Amino acid sequence: MADPTDPTRPPGSAGHPDARFLTVMTTVDSEAKAAHLARGAIEQRLAACAQISAPVTSVYRWDDAIETGQEWQVLFKTAQARYAALETYLLQAHDYDTPEIIATPVTHGGAGYLSWVAKETS
């Protein structure tokens, strides 16, 4: 039987309350802002890794108008236990009125990588 305290143990299904790791995404309107958010999260051990994607084009409705703009996505790899602190950091450091903050449970992953995420976020 699998050890339920093993940090690399995958949960039974997506969204399962036992999910131990998350990817958390946000977007910003400049590469410099993305780098600032990423570095701050890593420095504070809120995430083990942050990946900044090249500009994407976002189309969305805001204040009853359809907007189009370039954004940079930042994807954080973190432990579920650090989510609340990461969300608080992003809300404080982000300059959008309503920043996108979406967390997705990691249902499976390499044991070595997930152990590293656990270590870097503790």
Side-chain angles (χ1 to χ4, degrees):
M1 176 170 227
D3 177 0
T5 63
D6 178 359
T8 63
R9 175 180 63 90
S13 62
H16 190 280
D18 289 340
R20 303 283 307 252
F21 300 96
L22 304 169
T23 58
V24 179
M25 186 183 67
T26 193
T27 54
V28 293
D29 61 4
S30 79
E31 187 175 8
K33 289 176 186 176
H36 176 75
L37 287 178
R39 185 167 190 87
I42 302 306
E43 286 173 347
Q44 296 178 49
R45 292 191 174 273
L46 302 174
C49 174
Q51 294 174 319
I52 300 168
S53 296
V56 296
T57 300
S58 295
V59 180
Y60 55 95
R61 186 180 305 275
W62 188 257
D63 290 332
D64 293 322
I66 295 177
E67 304 285 340
T68 302
Q70 262 195 343
E71 294 185 299
W72 282 254
Q73 292 179 333
V74 186
L75 184 66
F76 301 91
K77 283 62 171 295
T78 192
Q80 181 187 32
R82 298 298 281 151
Y83 175 78
L86 177 59
E87 180 183 31
T88 297
Y89 163 74
L90 292 173
L91 289 170
Q92 291 173 348
H94 212 294
D95 65 347
Y96 286 10
D97 292 340
T98 307
E100 173 183 19
I101 302 172
I102 297 175
T104 304
V106 173
T107 62
H108 296 82
Y113 184 80
L114 295 179
S115 292
W116 174 78
V117 172
K119 177 181 172 246
E120 293 303 317
T121 57
S122 60

